[in-house]
Every structure is written in structure tokens, then in C-alpha cells.
């Protein structure tokens, strides 16, 4: 661990920002273009929109990162040499926005009082609505950029209303005005997820999905506008009109029924022939590309497709190729197409070409049969497509049971959606015959899987029952309630949690956890007192203390008062980290090198600041576009989610003594009553959509930790779910790491529904090793269960042994 006693910008910060600035353009998506952009050089520029000056680097909650500084769109353009001529408009907007925020927090308090819920719970994840205004669009320039921003975060879902999923009337009016007034106009989307752009798409010829790129957001915009960088991302979620949002995907306070089954995202919209604004996998470039299939081969039941990509335009650029398969009609419903894998070229100069080969093991195309409790490939022809090009067909002469699984005995009480599927023709295509016998007994993603290292066997005979209990519960302060908000650390200021102090007495190293997933979330400054680090993150909360309820309000205020008192005479230290692009943006690169590079940045900073477990990456499925944390997640597709997360894991865990925690396992697809919502999902949908990304990530990168989610799954809290945490995760997939809870899942403090909190003792019994952030009631409940023989000492030793083994590995 390094401690910095001044605010000097460190070499690693400069290096990391330079790396991100070069790489993040791959995360941006060009949605529409004419020939107006890129510009040949800086000029006078009219800049408008909610994100012009108040740019969003990433969403709220644990996905936020406390940075030294990040570049706004206004700042980035000015640094690049542009003269902004619309300052008056932005000043007026800022004043309007500030007044609107004051009124917003007054409404939050009133709402909490009316609903008789904690103000903290009422405010969590919510952001002020867009204000109403009508300021003149009158700055004189030839070029205009309008930056549309949207924010969301942990604790609250988005809504189909103006200022959120919909454009406000003021935004539509001003975008139209800009398109009419200025010779060259670019609409920039500083958003973490889809927005219904249908009122403006016909009038706007240049649209860039900039996204939320962390520290370098504004710099990347300037580079793209000037052509120093070229957008090369593709959408990882379908962008649809509000009226086409799939109404079957309900959000309920208590029971959310996943009646759409396997038809999540593009799997439904493509199959139902519902035309989106912008489809999954869409994204264009400043330049143009042609693609040609040059070779196909089936060997050892692994299909290889080689595509030659040529840059036929006038700018340098990269291009991704997505390989899909379409399964034959059979006894199981099938979507029109499903993503199998993908690849991306290096940066091609005009006239340059590259051949990329995409490999798809046939077993990865299997569907799950609930009747047989097995992954099966039904007989018939599997059509293979590279982007929209038909490539070949793979024929199975008979139905194959690829791999038997455990029957999870799920009864949802409803039938999953069924969508009729038209036959896809293979006339004129090459047909490969699969080796049916060679497919039997092969598991998903098992080829070239990453193995876990041999674990040291820990002798626990010298541990008392009480010590085992406290090993399985995060370090907590009996006199404080602040750990529920993600600050239970003592050794590193702003850390989310840490292991108990007695670890060192037993010869084990300290485990220190920091939140994510858009970088390390730590306090930017702190002081040391009696060996403990007191961070400024509590001082920064002073303006919201009034919205907290007891006992949290008093606990936070006491921390603030303590810091203020002792900071007057103590040495102050600083710890600045880098905000990387949000999860959706990383996935949009469709290039594993990009998320791996970002993981590498985080891993290096973990080593600098003494963090050995990062609470990221997050890879829940973007089931529908309204989940408040979708910006943290990768995609509506499990293959994109799994491959992106696996790349982040590799980037972090290549650093010695560093671990990730993939999360939230599983079906954490809404923030509305997230502590007590019950996700009701069929076994087929669960395995094919919501678990597959986790399985892929585990088998391809061997993450050392995984976090269970807040929600219930088919009536049981995931932290207490034996079939999820033991049957599937450990026995079927071979996960050999630590499972921890999300923060506060064993507390009813923020539970709004009828289901109670998860049970600390059942966590231990069913395979959830570590209870976070820990509390005395957690310890008391486990001790009670041990005394009543509801759990055994062996259960405790199993969970504690995994945690202590990880401690040995990381210390």
C-alpha cells in the first residue's frame, strides 16, 4: 500500500488516462451520419444540452467513482481548441437545474413521509427530473453539438416518462431548432442506456452514442468530432420506441414473473418482427467496410468461419463481426437467431483488409430441455450467419443430449411465452455434418477453460466456534450503522468492507474490499488516527444528512464530526483512482482487449492502494431497458455479458494478490424493492439467459469471488439458495472461490415488500460463505442456529475455510 501526502498527479494516473483516451472510442457507437463529421479542425461551436457542461461520467450508487477530476464535454472541446459561443445558454440551464434539484429533494422527503418509509430509501438511486425551460438557441456558429444526458443508478429504476426514457418537449424543440439553424449538427447521447429518439431521428442526420466513459468522457468526444478517433462500437441492447417496450416484462413490488422466458431483448424483437429504432449489434463508422466469407470449416465439432474485412472508405477504423446461429424448429421454442461469438479487426487504414476467424463449438448452441433436465441439440439444420450474411449450415442427423444437468424442480405457475418462428432457408449454402457421437457429454464453454489453482487446506481445529462465525461475517463496528451504505472498511478509507482484525493473530492476511464496477470507489482524501483511516466521503455526505433517518443519520453525523475535529491537526493523505467506462460501454467495444485493459488499470490501482478484492464486474442481463443499474451491466445477451466480464476478470487477476467479485448472482434485473423482490423464472430461461453469462465468465476466467444478489429467486433468497450456490455454481460449473452476500441482505431495513430478509444461518448452510458487511445480529443468528443444530460446525468450517484460503492466496 502506498500513501500520498500531497495532491501531485501521479504517473500512473497520467498513464491510465492516456490509455483510456486511446481505447474508449471503441466503446462509442455512431448511429447516424452524413458527410459533415469529422471536422477538419477546431472552430467556433455552439454547445447545448443537459450534458454539455453537466456531463455524466457514470451512473450513481456503487457504480460511481470518486475521481480527482473528469473531463466534461464542454471542457474536452475547449481543450481541443474549440471556442464555445453558447456559454450564456449553459449558464441559464445550470441555474434552472440547481433550482429544480432543490424542489426535487423536497418532494422526496414528502414522499417518504406519506409512504412511511426511510427518506434514504425513498431517495436511493433517484435523480432530479429534467427542468422545464425555454432559452433562445441563438449563438452564431456553423457547427453545433447538442449533448443529451440521462442519469440513473442503484436503488431506483428508470421510467417511461419525459426526461427519462422519453425526451422532454423542451429537448425535442431545441434539438429541432439546432438541426434547422446550424449547417453542421451532431446529437451526442451521454446516456447509460436507451432513450426513445423517435421524435427527432427523422430531423437529425448525425447521432453519436458517446455513453458514459468515465474520466476521459469529454476528451473522447473532442477526439471523435475532430476525427482523431473513430467510433467502432456496436449496440449491446436493442433501442426501441416506448410503445414497443415489451409489456410482458413486468416489474412488481413482490413477485416479478419472467413470462417472456427465453425471449429477452433481440431474441423477442427479431422473432416477433418488431422493428426497433436501432437493433442489437448495430453501429456504423466514419469509414466504410466490406465483408467477405473466405473460409468455413467444421473440425472436432467446432465451426470456424473466416471473414475478410476491408476498409473501403476514407478514414482509419476498426470493425466487429458478430457470428449468429439459428436453431431448427423442434420440440423447443427457438428465437430467430442467437449470438454465438464475435471478433474485431485491428485499426485498418483506407484500402487495408484483415481476415478474422471466429470459432463456435457446436455444444454452445444447445438449448435446455426442462423435460429431460439436459442441454440438447435438436436434429436439423443450424443456420450460421456473420452479421447479416448467411454463411453455412450445420446438420445434426439426430437429437443429441449434450450434457445432463440437475433438475431444479422449478414451478413458476405460468407458461413461458411462445413466439412462432419462420423457417430459415439454407438453399445454396454449404452444409456440414456434425459428429453426433462426439457431442455427447460436453459442457458449455468447457473448451480451453481456465482452471482454478489448487487450494491450500486450512486447519481450523484451533478456531473456536465464535471465531469461525466472525470469519464468515465481515468486520463491523457494533456502535455504527454506516456500513450499510458501503463503508465498513477501517484500513483503507472508503473501502466497502474488510476481514476481521483477528485474522492477523491467526497468521492470515487482511482482506480489503472496494466497490466498483467503473473503477475503485475509495475516499479521495483521508487522515490516520489510532491506526484507522477516516475518509472524506462522509464529509461529502453532509449535504444529505438531513435526508437520513435514525440511527443512520446520527452515525453518519458522528463520523463527519470526528473527521472535522481531528483533521485540523492531522496529516492528510490522498488516493485518486481512475473512472473507466461503464459496463455497457465496455461491452459495446465487442473487443475483449478493451475490458481486459480496463481491468488491468483497476488491478494496478488495487495494488497501489492496498485493495485485494474488487466488487466487480457486474453482468446481470439487461432484461428490459428500465432497470436503474443497466449501465453497470453489459448487455441483453448472455454471451456478450460473459465474454466482457471474463476479460475484465483476466485484466484484474493478472495482478498478483488481486481478485474480482462477479455480481449479482442472479436475476437482479430490477431496483424496485430490490431487497425483497422475487424473480420467478422458468428453469430454461434461467439457464439459457440469466445464468449463462456467469457460467461463461467462470469457465473462461476463474474469478475468485462471486456476489449473491438481493432478490429472491423462485421464492428463496439467492443468498440462501442451495441449488443456485451449490448445485449449479459449484457442482455443475466447478466454481472454487468465495461467495459473499450483497451489502445488508440479511437486514429488513430497506425491504419494502412482504418477503423478509435473507437468513444469515441459511447463508452458511447453503453455500454463501461471507455475509456482508456484517453485524452483531448476523453473528447472533448463526450462533443460535449452531446451538439448535440448524447448522453444523462442519458447515461453518466449509465457509470459513474458503475465506481463509482466499486470504492466504491474496496476502
Amino acid at each position: 500500500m502506498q500513501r500520498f501526502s500531497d495532491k501531485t498527479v501521479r504517473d500512473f494516473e497520467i498513464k491510465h488516462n492516456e490509455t483510456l483516451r486511446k481505447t474508449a472510442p471503441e466503446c462509442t457507437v455512431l448511429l447516424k451520419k452524413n458527410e459533415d463529421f469529422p471536422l477538419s479542425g477546431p472552430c467556433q461551436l455552439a454547445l447545448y444540452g443537459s450534458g454539455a457542461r453537466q456531463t455524466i461520467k457514470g451512473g450513481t450508487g456503487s457504480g460511481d467513482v470518486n475521481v480527482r477530476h473528469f473531463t466534461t464535454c464542454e471542457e474536452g472541446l475547449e481543450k481541443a481548441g474549440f471556442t464555445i459561443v453558447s456559454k450564456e445558454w449553459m449558464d441559464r440551464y445550470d441555474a434552472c437545474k440547481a433550482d429544480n434539484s432543490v424542489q426535487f429533494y423536497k418532494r422526496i422527503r414528502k414522499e417518504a413521509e406519506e409512504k412511511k418509509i426511510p427518506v434514504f430509501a425513498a431517495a436511493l438511486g433517484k435523480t432530479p427530473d429534467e427542468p422545464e425551460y425555454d432559452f433562445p438557441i441563438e449563438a452564431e456558429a456553423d457547427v453545433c453539438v447538442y449533448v443529451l444526458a440521462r442519469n440513473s443508478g442503484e436503488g431506483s429504476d428508470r421510467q417511461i416518462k419525459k426526461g427519462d426514457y422519453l425526451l422532454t418537449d423542451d429537448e425535442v424543440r431545441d434539438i429541432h431548432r439546432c438541426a434547422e439553424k446550424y449547417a453542421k449538427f451532431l446529437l451526442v447521447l451521454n446516456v447509460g442506456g436507451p432513450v426513445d429518439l423517435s421524435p427527432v431521428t427523422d430531423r437529425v442526420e448525425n447521432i453519436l452514442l458517446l455513453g458514459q466513459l468515465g474520466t476521459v468522457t469529454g476528451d473522447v468526444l473532442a477526439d471523435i468530432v475532430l476525427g482523431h478517433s473513430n467510433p467502432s462500437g456496436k449496440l449491446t441492447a436493442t433501442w426501441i420506441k416506448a410503445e414497443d417496450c415489451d409489456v410482458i416484462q413486468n416489474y412488481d413490488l413482490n413477485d416479478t414473473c419472467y413470462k417472456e422466458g427465453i425471449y429477452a431483448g433481440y431474441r423477442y424483437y427479431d422473432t416477433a418482427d418488431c422493428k426497433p429504432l436501432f437493433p442489437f449489434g448495430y453501429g456504423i463508422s466514419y469509414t466504410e467496410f466490406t465483408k467477405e466469407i473466405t473460409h468455413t470449416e467444421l473440425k472436432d465439432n467446432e465451426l470456424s468461419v473466416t471473414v475478410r474485412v476491408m476498409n473501403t472508405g476514407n478514414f482509419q477504423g476498426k470493425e466487429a463481426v458478430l457470428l449468429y446461429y439459428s436453431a431448427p424448429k423442434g420440440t423447443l421454442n427457438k428465437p430467430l437467431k442467437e449470438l454465438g461469438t464475435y471478433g474485431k479487426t485491428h485499426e485498418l487504414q483506407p484500402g487495408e483488409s484483415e481476415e478474422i476467424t471466429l470459432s463456435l463449438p457446436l455444444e454452445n448452441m444447445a438449448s435446455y430441455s426442462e423435460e429431460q433436465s439436459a442441454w440438447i441439440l435438436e436434429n436439423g439444420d443450424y443456420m450460421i450467419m456473420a452479421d447479416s450474411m448467411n454463411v453455412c449450415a450445420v446438420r445434426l442427423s439426430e437429437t443429441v443430449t449434450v450434457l445432463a444437468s440437475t433438475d431444479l424442480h422449478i414451478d413458476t405457475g405460468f407458461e413461458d411465452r411462445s413466439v412462432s418462428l419462420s423457417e430459415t432457408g439454407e438453399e445454396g449454402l454449404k452444409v456440414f455434418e456434425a459428429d453426433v457421437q462426439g457431442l455427447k457429454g460436453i459442457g458449455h464453454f468447457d473448451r480451453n477453460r481456465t482452471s482454478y489453482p489448487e487450494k491450500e487446506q486450512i486447519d481450523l481445529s484451533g478456531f473456536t466456534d465464535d471465531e469461525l462465525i466472525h470469519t464468515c461475517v465481515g468486520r463491523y463496528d457494533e456502535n455504527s450503522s454506516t456500513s450499510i451504505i458501503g463503508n465498513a472498511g477501517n484500513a483503507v478509507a472508503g473501502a466497502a468492507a474488510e476481514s476481521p482484525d483477528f485474522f492477523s493473530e491467526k497468521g492470515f492476511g487482511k482482506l480489503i474490499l472496494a466497490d466498483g464496477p467503473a473503477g475503485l470507489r475509495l475516499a479521495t482524501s483521508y487522515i490516520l488516527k489510532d491506526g484507522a483511516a477516516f475518509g472524506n466521503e462522509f464529509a461529502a455526505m453532509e449535504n444529505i444528512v438531513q435526508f437520513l433517518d435514525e440511527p443512520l443519520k446520527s452515525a453518519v453525523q458522528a463520523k463527519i464530526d470526528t473527521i472535522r475535529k481531528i483533521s485540523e491537526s492531522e496529516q492528510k493523505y490522498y488516493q485518486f483512482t481512475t473512472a473507466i467506462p461503464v459496463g455497457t460501454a465496455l461491452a459495446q467495444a465487442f473487443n475483449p482487449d478493451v475490458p481486459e485493459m480496463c481491468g488491468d488499470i483497476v488491478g494496478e490501482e488495487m495494488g497501489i492502494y492496498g485493495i485485494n478484492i474488487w466488487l466487480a464486474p457486474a453482468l446481470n442481463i439487461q432484461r428490459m431497458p428500465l432497470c436503474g443499474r443497466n449501465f453497470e451491466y453489459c448487455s441483453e445477451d448472455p454471451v456478450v455479458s460473459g465474454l466482457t466480464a471474463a476479460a475484465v476478470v483476466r485484466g484484474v487477476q493478472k495482478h498478483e494478490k488481486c481478485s474480482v467479485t462477479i455480481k449479482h448472482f442472479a436475476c437482479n434485473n430490477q431496483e424496485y424493492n430490490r431487497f425483497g423482490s422475487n424473480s420467478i423464472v422458468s428453469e430454461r430461461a434461467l439457464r439459457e439467459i440469466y445464468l449463462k453469462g456467469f457460467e461463461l465468465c467462470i469457465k473462461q476466467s476463474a474469478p475468485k469471488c462471486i456476489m449473491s444478489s438481493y432478490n429472491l429467486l423462485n421464492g428463496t433468497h439467492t443468498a440462501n439458495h442451495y441449488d443456485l450456490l451449490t448445485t449449479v455454481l459449484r457442482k455443475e460449473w466447478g466454481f472454487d472461490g468465495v461467495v459473499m452476500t450483497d451489502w445488508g441482505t440479511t437486514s429488513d431495513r430497506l425491504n419494502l415488500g412482504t418477503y423478509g430478509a435473507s437468513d444469515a444461518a441459511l447463508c452458511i448452510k447453503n453455500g454463501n460463505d461471507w455475509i456482508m458487511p456484517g453485524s452483531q445480529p448476523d453473528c447472533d443468528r448463526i450462533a443460535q442456529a449452531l446451538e439448535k443444530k440448524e447448522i453444523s460446525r462442519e458447515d461453518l468450517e466449509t465457509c470459513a475455510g474458503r475465506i481463509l484460503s482466499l486470504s492466504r492466496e491474496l496476502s
Side-chain angles (χ1 to χ4, degrees):
M1 179 192 299
Q2 299 183 43
R3 299 196 188 276
F4 302 118
S5 58
D6 60 67
K7 291 185 177 180
T8 301
V9 178
R10 309 295 162 182
D11 289 344
F12 75 84
E13 295 180 74
I14 297 171
K15 180 184 71 172
H16 291 170
N17 286 337
E18 289 176 347
T19 300
L20 284 177
R21 185 168 179 174
K22 292 176 182 177
T23 310
E26 290 198 52
C27 305
T28 65
V29 183
L30 191 60
L31 298 174
K32 290 190 69 177
K33 69 172 183 176
N34 57 19
E35 301 303 318
D36 290 344
F37 295 89
L39 303 177
S40 59
C43 58
Q44 287 193 332
L45 184 145
L47 181 63
Y48 303 102
S50 54
R53 177 178 291 164
Q54 299 193 34
T55 306
I56 299 169
K57 74 179 190 305
T60 67
S62 67
D64 195 8
V65 178
N66 303 315
V67 296
R68 176 194 294 272
H69 176 75
F70 77 95
T71 308
T72 67
C73 293
E74 178 187 24
E75 181 186 356
L77 290 166
E78 288 186 322
K79 284 166 57 181
F82 287 93
T83 300
I84 307 299
V85 297
S86 54
K87 297 276 189 178
E88 183 179 352
W89 189 97
M90 287 187 282
D91 292 341
R92 296 177 71 176
Y93 177 83
D94 287 351
C96 181
K97 181 88 171 180
D99 180 67
N100 186 64
S101 295
V102 171
Q103 301 305 316
F104 167 78
Y105 287 112
K106 287 181 179 179
R107 292 195 299 272
I108 288 292
R109 176 167 284 283
K110 183 178 179 181
E111 175 190 339
E113 291 172 351
E114 291 175 350
K115 293 183 177 180
K116 298 180 179 179
I117 60 175
V119 181
F120 181 73
L124 188 62
K126 294 181 180 176
T127 56
D129 296 333
E130 271 299 299
E132 294 182 0
Y133 56 87
D134 188 2
F135 309 138
I137 302 294
E138 57 187 8
E140 293 301 322
D142 291 330
V143 180
C144 175
V145 173
Y146 185 102
V147 183
L148 176 77
R150 289 290 185 268
N151 204 358
S152 65
E154 184 173 8
S156 184
D157 290 309
R158 297 178 62 194
Q159 299 179 55
I160 298 182
K161 68 176 185 180
K162 294 179 180 179
D164 194 342
Y165 196 80
L166 303 176
L167 300 177
T168 67
D169 295 340
D170 297 333
E171 290 169 336
V172 173
R173 178 200 64 227
D174 286 355
I175 291 170
H176 286 170
R177 287 175 177 175
C178 291
E180 293 168 2
K181 178 177 175 62
Y182 297 99
K184 295 182 178 181
F185 174 55
L186 174 65
L187 174 60
V188 174
L189 307 176
N190 176 218
V191 300
V195 178
D196 185 348
L197 300 176
S198 56
V200 301
T201 49
D202 290 342
R203 305 272 291 272
V204 178
E205 295 183 320
N206 296 282
I207 303 177
L208 171 69
L209 172 56
L210 178 67
Q212 297 167 350
L213 304 177
T215 304
V216 298
T217 300
D219 293 315
V220 172
L221 173 61
D223 289 343
I224 290 173
V225 170
L226 289 172
H228 301 326
S229 299
N230 193 344
S232 63
K234 308 282 187 185
L235 293 179
T236 61
T238 308
W239 283 45
I240 52 174
K241 297 178 182 179
E243 59 262 33
D244 292 329
C245 274
D246 193 2
V247 294
I248 202 170
Q249 299 175 342
N250 68 307
Y251 280 0
D252 187 78
L253 178 66
N254 294 307
D255 296 312
T256 296
C257 299
Y258 290 44
K259 293 183 179 180
E260 71 279 3
I262 61 168
Y263 294 100
Y266 73 89
R267 286 169 168 77
Y268 170 70
Y269 296 111
D270 286 353
T271 310
D273 198 24
C274 178
K275 184 174 177 58
L277 288 169
F278 302 103
F280 173 90
Y282 176 79
I284 55 179
S285 170
Y286 281 150
T287 193
E288 305 294 333
F289 297 97
T290 59
K291 299 173 185 177
E292 177 189 6
I293 309 300
T294 59
H295 183 71
T296 55
E297 181 181 17
L298 183 65
K299 183 179 180 180
D300 296 329
N301 283 322
E302 184 170 20
L303 180 69
S304 296
V305 177
T306 301
V307 183
R308 178 182 293 124
V309 181
M310 174 170 283
N311 183 348
T312 58
N314 299 317
F315 300 94
Q316 80 287 349
K318 297 182 179 184
E319 177 68 349
V321 180
L322 280 59
L323 194 70
Y324 295 93
Y325 61 91
S326 179
K329 279 186 175 182
T331 59
L332 300 176
N333 285 308
K334 308 280 191 357
L336 179 65
K337 65 180 182 182
E338 298 178 75
L339 184 67
T341 189
Y342 52 85
K344 196 171 191 177
T345 67
H346 71 276
E347 188 161 78
L348 300 177
Q349 299 301 316
E352 185 181 5
S353 66
E354 179 184 352
E355 288 193 342
I356 57 176
T357 298
L358 305 174
S359 297
L360 178 61
L362 300 189
E363 65 270 14
N364 290 1
M365 300 191 299
S367 302
Y368 190 77
S369 168
E370 294 177 344
E371 181 180 354
Q372 299 180 45
S373 297
W375 292 93
I376 66 172
L377 285 165
E378 294 198 275
N379 67 296
D381 288 350
Y382 289 74
M383 302 300 302
I384 308 299
M385 297 150 283
D387 296 334
S388 59
M389 300 181 292
N390 288 334
V391 176
C392 62
V394 176
R395 181 168 295 162
L396 269 76
S397 59
E398 62 181 83
T399 296
V400 181
T401 298
V402 174
L403 188 69
S405 299
T406 304
D407 186 353
L408 302 183
H409 302 288
I410 294 173
D411 181 7
T412 61
F414 56 79
E415 292 290 329
D416 281 359
R417 159 187 274 159
S418 175
V419 182
S420 59
L421 176 64
S422 301
E423 291 282 6
T424 53
E426 68 274 6
E427 186 176 346
L429 292 178
K430 186 174 184 178
V431 178
F432 292 100
E433 293 284 347
D435 174 12
V436 172
Q437 295 302 315
L439 283 167
K440 296 178 180 179
I442 299 179
H444 273 119
F445 317 121
D446 277 346
R447 302 192 195 207
N448 302 313
R449 69 177 292 168
T450 301
S451 300
Y452 284 90
E454 289 292 326
K455 293 289 191 295
E456 178 184 354
Q457 294 300 311
I458 306 298
D459 181 7
L460 296 173
S461 60
F463 279 69
T464 66
D465 289 348
D466 187 62
E467 287 172 335
L468 289 177
I469 291 171
H470 280 82
T471 297
C472 296
V473 174
R475 180 191 178 279
Y476 61 92
D477 182 349
E478 294 183 41
N479 300 313
S480 174
S481 300
T482 59
S483 60
I484 187 64
I485 58 175
N487 184 275
N490 190 43
V492 176
E498 61 186 52
S499 55
D501 294 335
F502 70 81
F503 269 32
S504 58
E505 301 169 10
K506 295 283 188 179
F508 295 91
K510 193 85 167 172
L511 293 174
I512 303 175
L513 298 75
D515 222 333
L520 287 183
R521 181 177 170 86
L522 300 174
T524 55
S525 67
Y526 64 98
I527 55 177
L528 294 173
K529 188 67 174 179
D530 298 327
F534 292 86
N536 68 339
E537 78 283 358
F538 279 100
M541 288 182 63
E542 190 161 24
N543 62 333
I544 66 167
V545 170
Q546 59 177 316
F547 300 113
L548 302 179
D549 297 278
E550 298 295 352
L552 188 59
K553 179 177 181 179
S554 294
V556 172
Q557 187 62 57
K559 284 256 188 178
I560 293 171
D561 293 342
T562 299
I563 293 168
R564 182 181 292 115
K565 182 178 179 180
I566 63 179
S567 63
E568 297 172 358
S569 58
E570 298 294 329
Q571 170 69 56
K572 186 176 286 188
Y573 297 91
Y574 301 91
Q575 47 188 18
F576 296 108
T577 61
T578 304
I580 63 175
V582 298
T584 301
L586 290 181
Q588 285 171 175
F590 278 94
N591 178 2
D593 291 344
V594 173
E596 183 167 341
M597 176 273 298
C598 288
D600 187 26
I601 286 174
V602 173
E604 183 175 351
E605 295 184 359
M606 289 171 71
I608 291 169
Y609 293 118
I611 302 297
N612 43 28
I613 300 177
W614 184 41
L615 303 178
L619 62 151
N620 293 97
I621 292 297
Q622 296 171 349
R623 178 177 173 246
M624 67 180 302
L626 301 182
C627 176
R629 297 183 80 173
N630 270 356
F631 68 95
E632 293 186 41
Y633 307 150
C634 300
S635 176
E636 64 190 25
D637 181 84
V639 171
V640 176
S641 300
L643 290 177
T644 303
V648 174
V649 174
R650 289 193 297 271
V652 172
Q653 293 190 172
K654 71 172 62 171
H655 292 268
E656 190 178 11
K657 314 302 183 185
C658 289
S659 165
V660 302
T661 307
I662 62 173
K663 63 183 184 182
H664 310 85
F665 194 58
C667 297
N668 190 147
N669 304 112
Q670 70 183 64
E671 291 299 293
Y672 181 42
N673 188 31
R674 60 183 181 151
F675 284 87
S677 65
N678 178 28
S679 298
I680 304 178
V681 194
S682 70
E683 186 168 357
R684 183 182 179 196
L686 182 65
R687 288 184 179 272
E688 287 194 24
I689 305 297
Y690 300 100
L691 298 187
K692 182 182 283 189
F694 287 96
E695 180 185 6
L696 194 162
C697 179
I698 287 166
K699 291 182 176 180
Q700 296 296 308
S701 64
K704 294 179 172 65
C705 299
I706 188 169
M707 182 188 294
S708 56
S709 51
Y710 283 129
N711 56 283
L712 296 84
L713 175 61
N714 294 319
T716 301
H717 273 283
T718 62
N720 299 159
H721 206 300
Y722 181 87
D723 276 345
L724 183 68
L725 303 182
T726 300
T727 302
V728 173
L729 181 64
R730 296 191 186 277
K731 294 182 178 180
E732 290 188 6
W733 297 350
F735 175 74
D736 192 17
V738 169
V739 180
M740 68 182 73
T741 69
D742 206 339
W743 268 232
T745 186
T746 55
S747 168
D748 258 336
R749 186 179 301 173
L750 299 178
N751 194 333
L752 306 180
T754 59
Y755 294 108
S758 65
D759 186 319
L762 292 181
C763 288
I764 303 301
K765 186 176 183 64
N766 293 303
N768 196 118
D769 309 302
W770 216 357
I771 299 165
M772 288 297 181
S775 68
Q776 188 59 47
D778 290 332
C779 294
D780 293 342
R781 169 63 186 128
I782 297 171
Q784 177 194 59
L786 187 62
E787 182 180 357
K788 292 184 176 181
K789 301 189 184 307
E790 297 172 12
I791 63 173
S792 66
R793 180 178 167 97
E794 182 181 359
D795 294 329
L796 272 174
E797 288 184 350
T798 298
C799 293
R802 292 175 183 142
I803 297 167
L804 293 169
S805 178
L806 181 65
S807 173
R808 282 276 169 85
E809 186 178 350
L810 298 182
S811 61

